[in-house]
Amino acid sequence: MEGTMMGFISPVLGLGAKGNSVAGRGKRGFGLSVNMTVAANTDSVASGSDKEEWASRNAMYGLSNEQKLKAMTLPDAENPFTAKYIAFDESDTTEYSLDKVVYRAQKGGLLDVQHDMDALGQHSPEEWKELFDRRSGRTVWPFGSGVWSKKEWVLPGIPNEDVVSMFEGNSNLFWAERFGNEIGMTDLWVKQCGNSHTGSFKDLGMTVLVSQVNHIIKKQGGIKAVGCASTGDTSAALAAYCAAAGIPSIVFLPADKISLAQLVQPIANGSIVVSLDTDFDGCMKLIQEVVEEYPIYLANSMNSLRLEGQKTVSIEIAQQFDWEVPDWIVVPGGNLGNVYAFYKGFKMMKDLGLTKRMPRLVVAQAHNANPLYAAYKNGWDFQPMVAERTLASAIQIGDPVSVHRAIRALKACDGVVGEATEEELMDVGARADRTGMFNCPHTGVALAVLEKLRNDGTIGANDRTVVISTAHGLKFTDSKVYGLARPNYPGPSRILINPYSKRFIASLRLPTMSENFTRPRATMPTM
């Protein structure tokens, strides 16, 4: 049987006879020989001035947790670090403390978090870089988190003991060499933000928001629960972080429009889950009415606290490239808060001298939910739309709250907006998976738009480009099953090893693109 199976597999995979060498397949091939010399002491690694740098990097070894915490904490500055709410609309002079429960400025516009840049500027760029590098990935609370390693730039006024963290961030920057070769790119990377506690980049913002809520409750009380409208990922993050803090949470989800995995997550974490016969925009309108009437804190991205956590993705990317800024950042866009957040992170680094330039931003939207793309094509004249169904369900939003934030960011960095059809996002996502990725459909949108921009010459072959993968593919396995069943699925037969998989896929009643997946309805837990 084994010989028969190998005889069937070998021609398909291009394998030679048993015993053939596969060495010499290139710098990332199987036949690498490793020749390493292990240094017996630091003298063999560094000499002269290099010794000081080596000693500095290893200065944390052998210290107690208290000593490490002290080494990671800046001395009291002459001007302490502070942050406050200001109006996003520059004609509005509204200012609020971050401890105030408020979501809009006096004129009705969105709020933004403003940091005291003069106080932050008391430290040199080299000091900030060294501090962030010293903290990143450690187990010292809370600085090992990719978000809280930048605490002074995120939420400087909160005590460490009020932070609610699961050591989010520090996600892999994946070198997409094989897929890059397929589309003619030499320097393509994918920031795997879905490699996080709840499987999406929403953890980065939720740790900040729930930490601030925890701080407010301890300081002055008044908040009884935290709530959000969600297309799936936000609700999972909110439920998990609130559960960790012991704070009740409630989420409004559009019925039949999220994956089963996304539905299970908030239920498992004890959140009150309300499934509504509307879309995300309808859920968003309802949650805004609820928080006006009840002592429930709003957790959606119109709350600018979440953007403070999400902006650390930009800082982390620069840090992973030894403080060099990529040429392009490609972001899937739905409610669009992430677009402005990434812009804020890169701008903050440039303003404080850590980097020298800004990247260009690309926002990728699904064709069935593309209001920003339509505005981009129409001189930034934004008109809301009714979003149609898309497999990229987390960005199925027709009236994004942060659209004007995103437009400001795109204008400031000569940004671009693109779109991808359902067929394009599934095709490119499947091709990328065959190079070792396992993408969510939203990352498929970003990769499809990237390929278009590469083909028309907007993005150059050697431009360093980072695609933001916003969620883990395991949260969207239904879209994978749908893609596998397509007659034009790229690559060799997917039933090569398991002859039962074809029968399994055939037994499923796969929906057409005009139908909804059938989902179990959420139930209200007993309180």
Side-chain angles (χ1 to χ4, degrees):
M1 178 66 182
E2 181 180 350
T4 303
M5 180 62 75
M6 286 305 297
F8 179 50
I9 293 174
S10 295
V12 178
L13 299 185
L15 301 178
K18 185 176 180 180
N20 284 2
S21 172
V22 292
R25 294 180 60 182
K27 61 183 177 180
R28 294 294 184 271
F30 293 111
L32 289 174
S33 62
V34 180
N35 182 14
M36 296 180 62
T37 302
V38 179
N41 54 58
T42 57
D43 288 342
S44 64
V45 178
S47 60
S49 61
D50 291 340
K51 287 184 179 179
E52 296 180 4
E53 181 181 354
W54 178 265
S56 174
R57 290 181 179 179
N58 294 278
M60 307 299 288
Y61 296 163
L63 298 182
S64 67
N65 280 340
E66 291 76 15
Q67 290 171 322
K68 291 177 182 177
L69 180 60
K70 184 177 181 180
M72 295 180 187
T73 304
L74 289 171
D76 291 337
E78 181 178 345
N79 297 316
F81 306 124
T82 60
K84 62 184 177 183
Y85 289 127
I86 63 168
F88 177 77
D89 180 356
E90 295 175 348
S91 68
D92 191 333
T93 59
T94 298
E95 291 187 7
Y96 296 117
S97 163
L98 296 185
D99 292 341
K100 185 175 178 62
V101 179
V102 61
Y103 314 110
R104 290 194 177 274
Q106 292 176 356
K107 293 184 178 181
L110 296 176
L111 295 170
D112 202 358
V113 175
Q114 182 185 72
H115 290 262
D116 185 342
M117 298 295 284
D118 290 335
L120 293 172
Q122 294 174 110
H123 294 274
S124 69
E126 290 70 28
E127 287 178 296
W128 285 118
K129 291 177 186 178
E130 198 280 331
L131 180 69
F132 294 160
D133 286 342
R134 176 178 293 193
R135 291 172 171 175
S136 183
R138 304 279 183 172
T139 57
V140 178
W141 183 269
F143 296 135
S145 158
V147 172
W148 297 105
S149 61
K150 287 81 177 172
K151 182 173 183 285
E152 295 82 2
W153 290 30
V154 175
L155 210 58
I158 190 172
N160 289 347
E161 56 268 24
D162 291 351
V163 169
V164 182
S165 173
M166 300 181 192
F167 277 44
E168 51 289 310
N170 298 319
S171 58
N172 176 35
L173 191 58
F174 172 74
W175 182 32
E177 180 187 25
R178 286 192 61 208
F179 185 73
N181 288 339
E182 286 189 13
I183 63 173
M185 298 188 69
T186 62
D187 206 359
L188 175 61
W189 303 77
V190 178
K191 180 64 170 167
Q192 299 281 11
C193 293
N195 293 357
S196 191
H197 183 72
T198 72
S200 87
F201 83 105
K202 300 297 179 72
D203 292 352
L204 306 175
M206 206 58 71
T207 181
V208 176
L209 184 140
V210 175
S211 294
Q212 180 63 18
V213 169
N214 191 41
H215 174 62
I216 293 173
I217 290 174
K218 289 183 177 181
K219 183 178 179 181
Q220 62 199 42
I223 298 173
K224 301 301 181 183
V226 185
C228 74
S230 178
T231 52
D233 290 336
T234 298
S235 60
L238 175 66
Y241 280 85
C242 281
I247 300 171
S249 62
I250 179 170
V251 299
F252 292 173
L253 301 174
D256 302 334
K257 294 181 177 67
I258 68 171
S259 74
L260 179 60
Q262 290 174 304
L263 174 62
V264 167
Q265 286 181 285
I267 294 175
N269 285 131
S271 182
I272 297 174
V273 178
V274 182
S275 182
L276 303 173
D277 288 322
T278 183
D279 57 10
F280 169 81
D281 298 311
C283 290
M284 189 66 205
K285 289 182 174 66
L286 182 58
I287 190 65
Q288 291 182 68
E289 294 175 6
V290 169
V291 299
E292 288 292 328
E293 187 172 349
Y294 298 96
I296 298 173
Y297 192 88
L298 181 64
N300 282 96
S301 59
M302 68 176 293
N303 187 321
S304 53
L305 285 174
R306 278 181 48 199
L307 308 189
E308 294 304 292
Q310 292 174 14
K311 79 182 182 188
T312 62
V313 173
S314 303
I315 305 170
E316 201 169 283
I317 289 171
Q319 190 175 9
Q320 289 172 307
F321 283 127
D322 295 322
W323 302 105
E324 294 290 333
V325 173
D327 297 304
W328 295 89
I329 302 291
V330 185
V331 187
N335 217 21
L336 303 177
N338 57 349
V339 180
Y340 185 60
F342 299 154
Y343 162 76
K344 282 191 72 175
F346 282 113
K347 187 174 188 302
M348 201 167 181
M349 285 188 289
K350 184 174 180 293
D351 290 346
L352 289 170
L354 278 71
T355 56
K356 297 180 180 179
R357 64 187 181 93
M358 295 287 289
R360 293 183 68 183
L361 289 176
V362 176
V363 179
Q365 293 207 293
H367 172 75
N368 289 352
N370 64 351
L372 183 66
Y373 177 76
Y376 172 71
K377 288 294 188 179
N378 196 31
W380 296 118
D381 179 20
F382 170 75
Q383 298 295 328
M385 63 178 288
V386 177
E388 298 178 15
R389 183 180 176 274
T390 170
L391 286 167
S393 57
I395 57 175
Q396 186 177 315
I397 298 172
D399 190 9
V401 170
S402 295
V403 62
H404 297 295
R405 288 168 168 164
I407 290 173
R408 178 184 293 183
L410 289 163
K411 286 181 176 180
C413 62
D414 192 20
V416 177
V417 185
E419 65 168 358
T421 65
E422 298 301 293
E423 193 65 28
E424 288 169 340
L425 74 89
M426 290 303 298
D427 179 69
V428 177
R431 284 163 45 209
D433 283 353
R434 296 190 65 81
T435 68
M437 301 185 216
F438 191 72
N439 291 305
C440 65
H442 322 92
T443 306
V445 173
L447 292 172
V449 169
L450 167 67
E451 183 174 39
K452 291 181 178 182
L453 295 176
R454 174 67 200 101
N455 289 341
D456 68 18
T458 301
I459 295 179
N462 299 316
D463 289 352
R464 173 166 285 176
T465 303
V466 177
V467 173
I468 307 297
S469 180
T470 54
H472 201 291
L474 286 173
K475 299 183 77 169
F476 300 92
T477 52
D478 49 1
S479 71
K480 299 292 185 186
V481 172
Y482 181 89
L484 289 170
R486 292 181 304 150
N488 59 343
Y489 176 80
S493 173
R494 55 212 176 267
I495 61 161
L496 185 62
I497 304 300
N498 182 0
Y500 300 103
S501 61
K502 184 175 183 179
R503 283 181 239 164
F504 167 72
I505 291 175
S507 70
L508 298 175
R509 182 187 178 276
L510 295 170
T512 65
M513 291 309 298
S514 61
E515 294 177 324
N516 285 327
F517 288 107
T518 300
R519 307 278 185 228
R521 296 297 180 95
T523 57
M524 185 82 74
T526 302
M527 298 298 290

